[in-house]
Amino acid sequence: MPAAAAWAVAAWLAGGPVKHVLLASVLGLLLGLIGVGGCVVRRTGQSARVAASVALVGIAVAAVTAAAAAQRSIDRAGPIEALAAESAAVQLTGTVLTQPRLVKTPARDEELVVLRLRVTQVTARGQVSDVSTPVLVFADDTWAEVPWRASIRTRGSLTRPKDQDGEIEIHGDAVAVLAPRGNAVLERSPPAVLRGADFVRARLREAMEPLPGDAAGLIPGLVIGDTSLTPPELTEAMLNTGMSHLSAVSGSNVAIVLGAVIVLCRAVGVGHRWRGPLAALALVGFVLLCRPEPSVLRASVMGLIGLIGLSASRRSATMPALATAILVLLCADPTLARSYGFALSTLATAGLVIFARPWGDAIAARLPRRAALLGDAIAIPLAAQVVCAPVIVLLQGNVTTIAVLANLLAAPMVAITTLAGIAAALAAAVWVPLGSVVAWIGTPSALWIAAVARQAATVPWREIEWIDGPVGAWVLAFLTTVALLSGPWLRYHLGAHPGVSVSIALVAVVSLWPVPTGVPWPPPDWVVAACDVGQGDAFVVPTGPDSDTAVVIDVGPDPTAIQGCLKRLGITRVEAVVLSHFHQDHVAGLSGLLDEYQVSAAYVSPLHEPGSEAGRALRLLASKSVPAYAVNAEDELSWGDVSASVVWPDAAIPVVGGSAPNNASVVLDLTAGSTRILFTGDIEAEAATYVRRAVAGQRFDVLKVPHHGAADQDRALLDGLGASLALIGVGADNTFGHPTPSALAHLRQADMVVRRTDLEGDLAVYESRTGLTISTERGG
């Protein structure tokens, strides 16, 4: 109760004025003193217990709010907040608090490096001030290699912490946003122990090169939380199946490491006195390897408590330990009060502490003796999923039905992969090839986890749409509580009436089981398919009567995703590939296409920007002897039974504003069979104006929605096409907010049926006797 009350008050006051936080601290202290007074007057009995509870609640609230007020006062001391309000130019010195990460901004279609910096000195307008203020840095890619925990110096301009270009939401305690001018100058390197940990991390990544793609991505994710090598398609599958926590440093990783150390100590005969210190030493090493960021420290604390909770002899100590950990973590970092990660870690640990052991025992009692160990294996993911579901609804807007089963199937391999990965990291630190050899031990288990995620992501009804927002979370929390409280009663009555139990189960299965459409995949007479390749575009148009030859328009961000889509469609030959423009989400999958298919020609945007992506794509085409032709308005193209006219870009018309690569997208007026389709790439409002004029008075059947359904749509273009169907290539849970509510509203107002790859997977449009019909590879 005290920890929950302190957490609730801290979350409620987060972001509010410091005076309100101080007032809450004073009120909490007064409440604590009243409770202490009650304990003195009433030394025994129920009244004394109530007074003690009141005292603990008051003291906990006072401690957490006082820490929050102190932190915010320190953060805001000095001139940085005032300088940000004036967008002042400054010179800063500070310590890097987070690992630099790349974030793509949708409106400008460029990648920015984001990191947090605690400023220790600021120079502005001739004055030098010593401060301790956190700022958020949005920089170019030259900042990607800035060392974590290094001290750096830079110049730039400060602004208030708000959405960067209205695109990137800023959370936490950042007082200002810095836009640097130039590179970061290294003032002081990170401590030697952290440099050593970074060396091991880098060698582990090198050791992953000989491994299969899924294993090379998962092993660093499970060991050090590094997901940079994970294929995007696998990342999306794990997110959609409730397995994404595996590829981040979580309490389960900590518990695996500690459990392995304890078992090893027992095996070699280490006495009880030394097991604790050795386990603690291993935990410190693991934290350093993963980097002691707040999320890793939180996971370490929660993993340690969860491990204690699974021990029957120490179970009574886990709830007080969990409450103490919550209070200590909130006092150390009050911003955790509104952190979803903190909430999920805490709830998952609470689920293990309260439910995992009794549920595991109950399940084991109903299984054959040889299968009794499955009790805990089933209970652990089930307990974590049940208690975390309301928070997950806030993040995803749906309830997953496959997460428990997927985690259960993956669980036996997680420990093997994690321990093999740690061993590979230590071996790679000595010699990279040795690390690769050791990593192969964990490769089969990593591939098993990846296969579970990929297969679970294809299961029908793996997600149930739920009420959005806090209302949905509270409704699910209420229903979960009712189910937990009424569970024994329901179990008794259903056990007493087995016929009723079987009937309810059959009704549920029949009601939820998807009804097959009877349409094969791909459907006969299909004219265009939208591939589910994540956050990107990839479309396929068959060019012959047998539908096994095709032209591919954009190839998405993932080489394996475009290969999978073409194989599912039964494509054996690709006559041409059209690259609308050179952004990664449209061209990065090109290697996958060229590795599997002989492509006759490529047709590309005349604007070769961004230079790095354009150069990479053109070099790849040249290496496979595929001629590349830049196309412009009025060019005519044909492939078998398919014909197309290039509508845009027009070399004679300069476009001002927006993203130059997006607005130089190749726009095709394509006819397949009797269906007319307008492919629009990622054109924005500026180029859409000219496209609208070029196609004025013409009617289309299908529209490939520009820019994944971004907000920058030309309303008049959408209204004037007369299309009945709109296709959107977009990734599930993408960080750009695509497709935007405004774009969807415009499409519906233009009387178009909207179909999206993020919700339905691969889509195919085919010509039937009643007109255009759409089918999904998943059977819808």
Side-chain angles (χ1 to χ4, degrees):
M1 177 64 78
W7 187 1
V9 172
W12 178 42
L13 295 174
V18 175
K19 61 182 180 181
H20 292 172
V21 183
L22 285 172
L23 178 60
S25 182
V26 171
L27 293 176
L29 183 59
L30 290 175
L31 184 64
L33 292 175
I34 292 171
V36 171
C39 290
V40 172
V41 174
R42 305 272 187 176
R43 296 189 178 183
T44 59
Q46 183 66 27
S47 298
R49 287 192 289 272
V50 172
S53 298
V54 170
L56 290 174
V57 168
I59 293 170
V61 170
V64 171
T65 51
Q71 184 194 66
R72 293 181 59 191
S73 297
I74 293 171
D75 290 347
R76 283 166 169 74
I80 285 185
E81 194 167 20
L83 292 170
E86 300 172 5
S87 300
V90 297
Q91 177 177 300
L92 301 176
T93 301
T95 302
V96 179
L97 298 180
T98 58
Q99 176 72 15
R101 60 188 178 92
L102 286 173
V103 175
K104 188 174 181 181
T105 59
R108 295 189 297 180
D109 274 283
E110 61 178 334
E111 287 187 329
L112 296 177
V113 174
V114 181
L115 57 87
R116 287 179 69 246
L117 183 72
R118 182 164 289 278
V119 178
T120 54
Q121 189 178 81
V122 56
T123 302
R125 297 168 184 166
Q127 294 185 341
V128 180
S129 303
D130 292 329
V131 295
S132 180
T133 304
V135 302
L136 201 63
V137 180
F138 288 91
D140 59 31
D141 57 7
T142 61
W143 282 62
E145 301 302 322
V146 172
W148 179 69
R149 300 303 299 181
S151 178
I152 62 170
R153 185 180 74 255
T154 188
R155 295 178 180 272
S157 57
L158 292 173
T159 55
R160 288 176 174 172
K162 58 184 179 181
D163 287 0
Q164 184 79 358
D165 292 337
E167 300 158 10
I168 300 174
E169 190 176 358
I170 298 172
H171 295 283
D173 56 350
V175 174
V177 173
L178 174 69
R181 296 172 185 168
N183 299 337
V185 179
L186 186 65
E187 290 275 295
R188 187 177 67 254
S189 297
V193 66
L194 296 181
R195 294 201 304 272
D198 284 344
F199 172 78
V200 176
R201 290 168 63 93
R203 297 293 286 266
L204 176 62
R205 283 193 292 270
E206 289 181 43
M208 294 299 106
E209 290 184 5
L211 273 61
D214 284 352
L218 275 180
I219 291 176
L222 267 67
V223 175
I224 58 176
D226 183 352
T227 59
S228 60
L229 301 178
T230 307
E233 188 182 25
L234 177 58
T235 299
E236 185 177 350
M238 295 183 72
L239 181 66
N240 292 340
T241 55
M243 297 173 64
S244 58
H245 65 94
L246 297 178
S247 54
V249 180
S250 64
S252 60
N253 302 82
V254 175
I256 289 169
V257 172
L258 292 177
V261 172
I262 293 171
V263 170
L264 183 61
C265 288
R266 288 176 181 169
V268 298
V270 175
H272 287 281
R273 177 183 299 178
W274 291 102
R275 291 177 190 174
L278 287 175
L281 185 63
L283 179 59
V284 171
F286 181 71
V287 168
L288 289 174
L289 183 61
C290 298
R291 293 201 173 116
E293 293 185 334
S295 60
V296 176
L297 295 174
R298 179 190 71 224
S300 301
V301 172
M302 295 303 173
L304 182 60
I305 293 171
L307 190 64
I308 295 171
L310 292 176
S311 171
S313 60
R314 300 181 180 179
R315 208 174 139 218
S316 61
T318 51
M319 283 307 292
L322 177 59
T324 303
I326 292 171
L327 291 174
V328 170
L329 289 170
L330 287 175
C331 287
D333 185 4
T335 61
L336 291 175
R338 284 194 176 181
S339 166
Y340 285 117
F342 179 68
L344 289 170
S345 289
T346 304
L347 289 173
T349 305
L352 295 181
V353 168
I354 298 171
F355 300 118
R357 174 61 63 181
W359 287 4
D361 292 343
I363 294 170
R366 290 162 174 79
L367 294 174
R369 181 173 297 180
R370 292 184 179 179
L373 289 176
L374 288 175
D376 285 342
I378 296 171
I380 289 172
L382 180 61
Q385 186 66 33
V386 165
V387 297
C388 290
V391 178
I392 294 173
V393 162
L394 281 175
L395 295 172
Q396 297 183 193
N398 54 51
V399 178
T400 177
T401 60
I402 198 68
V404 173
L405 179 58
N407 280 280
L408 174 62
L409 293 173
M413 301 301 169
V414 172
I416 298 173
T417 309
T418 301
L419 296 176
I422 292 173
L426 298 177
V430 178
W431 189 35
V432 171
L434 178 61
S436 299
V437 172
V438 176
W440 278 103
I441 299 172
T443 296
S445 55
L447 293 177
W448 171 267
I449 295 170
V452 169
R454 291 182 184 276
Q455 290 300 316
T458 65
V459 173
W461 293 93
R462 70 175 185 275
E463 295 173 344
I464 299 174
E465 292 298 322
W466 197 257
I467 306 167
D468 287 333
V471 173
W474 282 111
V475 169
L476 185 57
F478 172 76
L479 294 176
T480 300
T481 303
V482 170
L484 291 173
L485 293 177
S486 61
W489 180 87
L490 286 172
R491 188 168 62 249
Y492 170 78
H493 285 280
L494 291 176
H497 303 86
V500 175
S501 305
V502 172
S503 299
I504 293 174
L506 289 175
V507 169
V509 169
V510 171
S511 300
L512 295 177
W513 196 260
V515 179
T517 61
V519 178
W521 186 264
D525 300 323
W526 64 286
V527 291
V528 61
C531 293
D532 180 13
V533 292
Q535 179 60 16
D537 270 357
F539 291 83
V540 184
V541 178
T543 60
D546 296 331
S547 299
D548 60 350
T549 61
V551 57
V552 177
I553 301 170
D554 288 326
V555 290
D558 181 8
T560 59
I562 185 62
Q563 289 176 347
C565 180
L566 292 173
K567 289 176 182 177
R568 290 190 293 272
L569 289 168
I571 300 300
T572 59
R573 187 165 63 90
V574 175
E575 294 198 22
V577 59
V578 178
L579 303 178
S580 65
H581 63 296
F582 290 100
H583 276 146
Q584 187 177 28
D585 57 334
H586 292 251
V587 301
L590 184 60
S591 61
L593 175 70
L594 297 179
D595 286 345
E596 290 289 329
Y597 297 91
Q598 181 68 41
V599 179
S600 302
Y603 301 89
V604 304
S605 170
L607 181 64
H608 294 176
E609 292 185 11
S612 59
E613 292 296 335
R616 188 178 299 113
L618 293 173
R619 287 193 299 272
L620 187 58
L621 290 168
S623 70
K624 299 291 186 178
S625 301
V626 179
Y629 306 101
V631 294
N632 285 281
E634 300 184 1
D635 286 348
E636 298 291 333
L637 308 172
S638 64
W639 310 281
D641 296 338
V642 174
S643 61
S645 299
V646 179
V647 177
W648 183 261
D650 192 328
I653 303 176
V655 176
V656 179
S659 164
N662 281 351
N663 280 323
S665 292
V666 175
V667 177
L668 291 181
D669 173 0
L670 183 146
T671 300
S674 59
T675 302
R676 193 174 181 185
I677 310 163
L678 186 66
F679 288 98
T680 56
D682 275 2
I683 59 169
E684 299 176 1
E686 296 82 7
T689 301
Y690 299 105
V691 171
R692 169 166 37 94
R693 295 171 185 169
V695 299
Q698 303 178 51
R699 310 293 285 179
F700 293 84
D701 301 297
V702 180
L703 168 68
K704 200 296 291 186
V705 177
H707 203 182
H708 318 289
D712 50 356
Q713 302 291 325
D714 184 292
R715 176 75 178 273
L717 172 63
L718 302 182
D719 289 339
L721 296 175
S724 59
L725 178 62
L727 301 178
I728 303 179
V730 63
D733 302 309
N734 66 85
T735 58
F736 308 140
H738 293 162
T740 61
S742 61
L744 293 174
H746 291 334
L747 292 167
R748 293 185 182 113
Q749 289 166 8
D751 294 327
M752 296 188 206
V753 174
V754 180
R755 306 299 287 267
R756 303 159 43 175
T757 58
D758 60 332
L759 299 181
E760 301 176 274
D762 296 344
L763 303 168
V765 180
Y766 63 99
E767 297 174 345
S768 65
R769 288 176 295 179
T770 57
L772 289 182
T773 308
I774 195 161
S775 179
T776 73
E777 189 268 336
R778 297 175 184 172

